[in-house]
């Protein structure tokens, strides 16, 4: 069966270029002729643009591009990218983890949020991490949440995919089965002695054969993972029942730190996992509509609250003392982030399990009252505060637009580098440690309540900061982005938006510009190298306690659109970011 015949058999919806290609190649006009305009997206003929993938890793980018070249849409490409990333960038995301998928449909301008966040097993208790250090907690089965990535992509694919699921998985299967030259970023993570002890025996056999970490350019073959992917290509539901599910349960049970670290997940936890499909959070910033993620992420709410505060300051006005190289601008961002971080830590978590004041936090009246606290001086104290583990080099974000203008923005994670470091023996994938995103010590008692919004509890999803975000201008796409980096994700996405909207910078310049992160109410912003000394000196003069960060913060893979609607992809050089354009045929 030819590729085309196989595609049609599976309900492939043709576009004009393909119809013409059929005439040229096969000498026949299929029954859906160009005259059948209702079969074509209403704007597709006039506005056909290249499809684009922007991904943190080149082979995974190629996987998505290949699917687009063979008639896949943005969902198919995203699926191919995600599964390929689990092979080529396994320290950051994979089938053992969770994902947030933001979808924008060109045909009716509808937007959707697919929540594939990991869920706590039913045996979870709020105090389960209390006696463990972060390293202990995050390297044991106790921190493994029920993985959501497989189910989330399956739901997205059932709704909007064009190609058969099994075809979307082919590039990942080939990469795992036949191998690929290991990339620079992952080999750097592998060589880092700080993270090597995380790897269990099964993982060492793959990534450190004979005790030596595989180096960049060496071929990495992952036969166990290839077998798992082949089974999932037949039926992804097998992840949650049967052999694979049983292997997950067994892998998370043994403790690596004494009895306190034993995993509590049961097969019923996997069987009851549910993908949540809901509408994105919606806000405004200087005339742009901002679509972003709701609970269980705090990322979207905190971003909208901060943008709401910033809108009250003329950040681009140099005469008023602002502008890109004015310390006042960055002081304002730092202070807004400190205030919003306090609200994030106090109020946000899983809204299916507790009542959260999300609407209030982004409402005009509240945001105005928060913005009124920002002066030219550093705010002495911002309450509320609590401990949060800094993570920051993990996770991945990618962005896709297809020929029809459908957009998919995905931030996906197994939490820390290599997740728990526990590879499921015989199946070749890592288990996440996402439950360490809960409060490691319960905060309910300090607040006089049974459970604080982010205390661990059965079935609950831990609070995230991941924030895939789409900006629209006049209801049409302007910019789509997201980043890894735990709580610093919010700072990264915010700065990129401020640079493109307030300073009218192209997305690439905004992405490559040096970043700072302000992740807590405390006054300790961290700065990447490369900031203008006037900015740093000015911030110190008004009393900020600056910290400096030697390594890259975040990794933004994004898309921007010209006023005429032409998309353009941007990838971050902080990792192995890659953009591929697939021309209209
Ligand atoms: N677990 C983190 C979150 O959901 C992501 C980890 C990271 O980006 O480092 O916010």
């Amino acid at each position: 069966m030819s590729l085309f015949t196989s595609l049609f058999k599976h309900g492939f919806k043709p576009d004009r270029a393909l119809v013409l290609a059929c005439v040229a190649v096969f000498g026949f006009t299929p029954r859906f002729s160009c005259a059948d305009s209702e079969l074509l997206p209403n704007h597709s003929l006039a506005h056909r643009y290249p499809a684009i993938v922007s991904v943190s890793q080149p082979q995974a980018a190629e996987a998505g591009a290949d699917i687009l070249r063979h008639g896949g849409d943005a969902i198919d490409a995203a699926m191919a990218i995600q599964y390929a990333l689990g092979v080529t960038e396994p320290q950051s995301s994979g089938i053992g983890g969770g994902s947030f998928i933001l979808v924008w449909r060109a045909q009716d301008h509808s937007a959707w949020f697919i929540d594939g966040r990991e869920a706590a097993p039913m045996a979870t208790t709020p105090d389960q991490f209390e006696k463990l250090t972060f390293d202990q907690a995050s390297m044991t089965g106790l921190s493994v949440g029920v993985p959501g990535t497989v189910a989330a992509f399956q739901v997205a694919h059932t709704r909007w995919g064009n190609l058969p699921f099994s075809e979307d998985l082919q590039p990942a299967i080939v990469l795992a089965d036949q191998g690929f030259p290991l990339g620079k970023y992952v080999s750097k993570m592998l060589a880092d002695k700080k993270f090597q002890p995380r790897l269990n025996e099964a993982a060492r056999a793959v990534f450190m054969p004979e005790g030596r970490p595989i180096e960049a350019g060496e071929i990495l073959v992952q036969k166990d993972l290839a077998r798992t992917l082949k089974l999932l290509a037949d039926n992804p539901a097998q992840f949650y029942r049967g052999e694979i599910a049983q292997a997950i349960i067994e892998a998370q049970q043994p403790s690596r730190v004494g009895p306190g670290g034993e995993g509590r997940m049961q097969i019923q936890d996997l069987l009851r996992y549910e993908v949540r499909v809901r509408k994105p959070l919606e806000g405004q910033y200087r005339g742009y509509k901002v679509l972003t993620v709701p609970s269980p992420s705090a990322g979207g709410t905190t971003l909208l609250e901060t943008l709401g505060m910033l809108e009250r300051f003329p950040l681009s006005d140099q005469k008023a003392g602002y502008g890109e190289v004015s310390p006042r601008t960055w002081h304002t961002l730092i202070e807004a982030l400190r205030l919003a971080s306090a609200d994030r830590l106090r109020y946000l978590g899983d809204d299916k399990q507790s009542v959260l004041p999300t609407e209030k936090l982004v409402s005009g009246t509240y945001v105005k009252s928060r913005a009124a606290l920002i002066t030219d001086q550093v705010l002495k104290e911002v309450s509320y505060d609590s401990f949060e583990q800094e993570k920051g080099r993990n996770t991945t974000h990618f962005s896709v637009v297809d020929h029809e203008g459908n957009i998919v923005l995905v931030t996906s994670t197994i939490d820390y580098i290599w997740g728990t470091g526990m590879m499921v023996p015989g199946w070749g994938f890592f288990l996440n440690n996402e439950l360490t995103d809960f409060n490691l010590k319960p905060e309910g008692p300090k607040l006089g309540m049974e459970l604080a919004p982010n205390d661990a509890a059965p079935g609950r999803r831990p609070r995230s900061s991941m924030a895939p975000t789409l900006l629209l201008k006049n209801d049409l796409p302007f910019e789509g982005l997201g980043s890894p980096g735990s709580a610093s994700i919010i700072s990264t996405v915010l700065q990129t938006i401020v640079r493109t909207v307030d300073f009218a910078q192209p997305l690439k310049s905004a992405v490559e510009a040096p970043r700072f992160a302000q992740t807590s109410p405390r006054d300790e912003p961290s700065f990447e190298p490369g900031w203008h000394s006037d900015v740093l000196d000015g911030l110190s003069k008004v009393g900020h306690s600056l910290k400096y960060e030697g390594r890259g913060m975040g990794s933004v893979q994004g898309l921007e659109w010209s006023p005429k609607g032409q998309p353009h992809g941007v990838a971050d050089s902080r990792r192995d970011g890659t953009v591929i354009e697939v021309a209209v045929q």
Side-chain angles (χ1 to χ4, degrees):
M1 201 186 315
S2 75
L3 176 66
F4 278 0
T5 329
S6 132
L7 294 183
F8 293 150
K9 186 167 162 264
H10 289 99
F12 174 58
K13 296 172 215 82
D15 61 32
R16 183 168 183 260
L18 188 54
V19 170
L20 295 177
C22 286
V23 178
V25 175
F26 300 110
F28 73 94
T29 310
R31 75 186 157 75
F32 27 77
S33 74
C34 291
D36 289 337
S37 56
E38 75 279 8
L39 288 174
L40 299 166
N42 50 18
H43 60 288
S44 66
L45 296 186
H47 299 288
R48 300 265 306 164
Y49 287 119
I52 299 175
V53 298
S54 176
V55 187
S56 56
Q57 203 285 332
Q59 284 95 353
E62 185 48 42
D66 197 45
I67 287 295
L68 287 165
R69 283 184 208 110
H70 288 97
D73 65 11
I75 288 287
D76 295 300
M79 173 93 87
I81 293 166
Q82 177 58 72
Y83 276 88
L85 282 171
V87 178
T88 60
E89 201 194 57
Q91 81 282 11
S92 292
S93 76
I95 56 177
S99 303
F100 289 154
I101 310 175
L102 194 76
V103 176
W104 189 81
R105 304 291 300 162
Q107 202 153 19
D108 58 4
H109 294 196
S110 62
W112 301 92
F113 169 57
I114 315 283
D115 167 11
R117 182 74 163 165
E118 297 91 334
M122 294 315 281
T124 300
T125 54
D127 58 356
Q128 65 183 22
F129 296 119
E130 216 166 3
K131 297 201 168 66
L132 304 176
T133 62
F134 171 74
D135 274 347
Q136 290 173 334
S138 66
M139 280 172 64
T140 70
L142 196 60
S143 63
V144 182
V146 181
T149 290
V150 172
F153 275 89
Q154 195 187 352
V155 165
H157 183 265
T158 306
R159 286 191 166 216
W160 301 295
N162 223 357
L163 297 181
F165 180 81
S166 55
E167 257 174 63
D168 293 341
L169 260 62
Q170 284 315 305
I173 293 174
V174 172
L175 285 164
D177 208 24
Q178 296 175 14
F180 67 96
L182 197 72
K184 277 192 250 136
Y185 186 72
V186 54
S187 67
K188 199 166 129 198
M189 294 299 107
L190 199 51
D192 194 325
K193 292 222 165 33
K194 184 171 165 221
F195 303 121
Q196 284 174 3
R198 299 187 73 81
L199 299 175
N200 72 358
E201 212 182 302
R204 281 168 178 273
V206 177
F207 292 99
M208 298 180 65
E210 290 145 37
R212 182 186 67 81
I214 298 189
E215 286 173 16
E218 279 185 70
I219 303 295
L220 173 66
V221 176
Q222 298 171 81
K223 288 290 180 194
D224 287 348
L225 184 54
R227 178 171 74 104
T228 308
L229 296 177
K230 282 178 199 162
L231 279 177
L232 296 182
D234 271 352
N235 176 11
Q238 292 195 63
F239 189 81
Y240 295 92
R241 54 180 54 113
E243 278 184 291
I244 303 178
Q246 197 51 45
I248 293 175
I249 299 303
E250 280 164 27
Q252 51 93 54
Q253 266 159 0
S255 171
R256 302 168 89 185
V257 291
E262 284 166 15
R264 299 182 185 178
M265 196 190 300
Q266 304 287 329
I267 209 83
Q268 287 77 4
D269 292 309
L270 283 159
L271 288 171
R272 72 194 291 280
Y273 184 81
E274 263 178 20
V275 176
R276 298 174 183 167
V277 180
R278 55 202 296 186
K279 300 303 281 180
L281 271 188
E282 196 178 309
Q284 299 284 332
Y285 183 60
R286 303 200 200 274
Y288 293 83
K289 187 191 274 186
V290 183
L291 297 174
T292 186
V293 292
S295 165
S297 188
T301 309
T302 311
L303 179 69
L304 292 185
E305 185 186 344
T306 314
L307 287 171
M309 287 184 241
L310 294 183
E311 208 169 22
R312 289 168 164 77
F313 299 87
L315 297 182
S316 60
D317 188 348
Q318 293 181 17
K319 287 199 196 100
Y322 293 90
E324 195 198 339
V325 284
S326 162
R328 181 179 256 183
T329 299
W330 305 104
H331 163 76
T332 310
L333 262 75
I334 293 167
E335 296 292 89
L337 280 164
R338 288 177 68 202
L339 289 158
S341 299
D343 291 337
R344 176 174 69 83
L345 294 168
R346 166 64 185 85
Y347 295 114
L348 297 179
D350 182 349
D351 67 357
K352 298 279 176 203
Q353 290 228 355
S354 38
V355 182
L356 307 180
T358 306
E359 270 180 37
K360 179 188 157 187
L361 294 181
V362 298
S363 70
T365 336
Y366 183 72
V367 161
K368 192 171 161 202
S369 69
R370 292 304 254 173
L373 298 172
I374 302 175
T375 66
D376 278 347
Q377 298 303 309
V378 174
L379 260 167
K380 284 276 169 288
E381 209 184 285
V382 178
S383 64
Y384 179 85
D385 199 0
S386 69
F387 171 78
E388 191 177 34
Q389 179 65 39
E390 254 189 57
K391 294 174 180 166
R393 278 204 266 184
N394 344 309
T395 307
T396 196
H397 177 86
F398 61 91
S399 301
V400 184
V401 60
D402 65 23
H403 292 304
E404 296 183 354
N406 300 307
I407 301 162
V408 181
L409 308 175
V410 179
T411 311
S412 185
T413 187
I414 51 173
D415 196 39
Y416 207 56
I417 307 261
W418 311 109
T420 51
M422 293 159 73
M423 176 179 274
V424 180
W427 299 92
F429 63 91
F430 285 99
L431 293 175
N432 69 82
N433 65 298
E434 214 69 52
L435 302 189
T436 59
D437 272 356
F438 281 126
N439 299 329
L440 294 179
K441 289 194 187 357
E443 300 203 353
K446 128 173 157 195
L447 290 165
M449 56 208 294
E450 202 189 324
L451 275 180
N454 193 40
D455 285 349
R460 219 174 225 197
R461 300 186 178 195
R463 180 181 62 215
S464 171
S465 295
M466 300 193 295
T469 299
L470 180 68
L471 267 64
L472 303 171
K473 179 90 181 169
N474 302 325
D475 227 22
L476 290 171
F478 167 75
E479 177 175 306
L481 74 164
S483 173
S486 287
S488 75
I489 291 171
I490 301 162
S491 303
T492 293
V493 172
L494 179 81
Q495 286 164 85
T496 313
I497 293 175
V498 165
R499 286 185 180 278
T500 50
V501 169
D502 292 274
F503 307 143
Q505 292 178 357
L507 184 58
K508 181 66 177 167
S509 317
V511 165
E512 295 301 340
R515 296 185 182 129
F516 78 89
Q518 177 68 46
T519 57
S520 82
R522 294 179 291 278
D523 172 44
E524 290 157 351
S526 346
F527 285 77
E528 280 186 330
W531 281 85
H532 200 293
S533 56
D534 287 358
V535 172
L536 300 178
D537 293 347
L539 288 172
S540 299
K541 265 193 203 126
V542 296
H544 287 287
S545 324
L546 310 188
K547 287 195 297 188
Y548 295 95
E549 194 60 69
R551 58 191 164 96
M553 268 176 204
S555 170
V556 174
Q557 272 58 240
L559 298 161
E560 68 185 342
W561 284 261
S562 75
K564 288 190 172 161
Q566 169 97 28
H568 176 67
V570 165
D572 203 319
S573 66
R574 288 168 181 81
R575 295 194 187 173
D576 300 333
T578 306
V579 173
I580 304 180
E581 276 199 10
V582 178
V584 179
Q585 288 162 11

